[in-house]
Amino acid sequence: DPLLHFGAGKGGKKVGIAGIGGLGVMGIKLALALGNEVYGITTSSGKKAKIEEFGAKCLVASDEDAMKAQAGTFDLVLDTVPVKHELMQYMPLLAHDGTHVILGLVTEPFSFASLPMVFTRTTVAGSVIGGIKSTQACMDFVAKKKIYQETEVVPCDKVNWVLEKLESVNDSPVRYVLDIANTMPKPADVPGDAAES
């Protein structure tokens, strides 16, 4: 929905996806499928190979020279980072009239300098998923384009490992799926009334 709403639905835009977790990966795949030039923006250089495997370019946010080289060139940055972070690290990437859209659910307030925004007419916006109609359109689009989420199925007894991995430096841009059906104990066969009579 934010790709369409903020003008990247017909392609031809330069789009950055900040935060390369499950939501960020889908952002990359959708933005590419819509015909945009796409950069995965990450703090973890360990995700570079995966970002490039998806077909996007990688921009490491901690590489000051690389960030300066891309300053003022992005039409749209979708920010999927789910924790408090420094918006001003990403704002210089925006071109004149560019938009930074916050998608990550962060409960703490952000701070940013307004002066650079005034002179470049850049915008900070927020977005959530669309309604039923736009969600169905997205589902139809991903089915047609064969766009899938990167997942790793893990047994329930590995849930602590998953949590530790997510809380540490997570270099794996996947969604973890707990395999409840195959890891929970099966109920023992209980003889029914018919067997007893």
Side-chain angles (χ1 to χ4, degrees), residues 62-191:
S62 58
D63 183 339
E64 290 182 22
D65 291 336
M67 292 290 280
K68 283 179 185 172
Q70 294 295 330
T73 64
F74 284 82
D75 300 298
L76 180 64
V77 172
L78 299 184
D79 185 339
T80 70
V81 178
V83 295
K84 186 175 181 185
H85 55 286
E86 189 57 54
L87 280 185
M88 288 312 296
Q89 183 176 19
Y90 303 102
M91 294 302 291
L93 294 172
L94 294 175
H96 195 272
D97 289 325
T99 304
H100 183 106
V101 183
I102 299 170
L103 301 171
L105 300 178
V106 180
T107 57
E108 297 177 58
F110 286 107
S111 63
F112 54 88
S114 61
L115 189 60
M117 294 174 64
V118 170
F119 289 109
T120 58
R121 207 166 52 203
T122 52
T123 305
V124 175
S127 183
V128 294
I129 61 171
I132 293 172
K133 184 178 178 183
S134 61
T135 301
Q136 186 60 58
C138 183
M139 297 303 292
D140 294 342
F141 181 76
V142 297
K144 178 181 175 185
K145 297 288 188 177
K146 296 184 179 359
I147 299 171
Y148 304 105
Q149 181 59 267
E150 302 294 309
T151 60
E152 183 177 332
V153 179
V154 295
C156 288
D157 61 357
K158 299 287 186 193
V159 69
N160 288 334
W161 172 82
V162 170
L163 291 172
E164 288 170 12
K165 189 161 178 65
L166 292 173
E167 290 174 356
S168 67
V169 176
N170 181 14
D171 282 343
S172 179
V174 301
R175 291 276 191 191
Y176 294 100
V177 179
L178 292 177
D179 187 359
I180 296 171
N182 290 319
T183 55
M184 297 299 288
K186 306 281 188 273
D189 291 333
V190 178

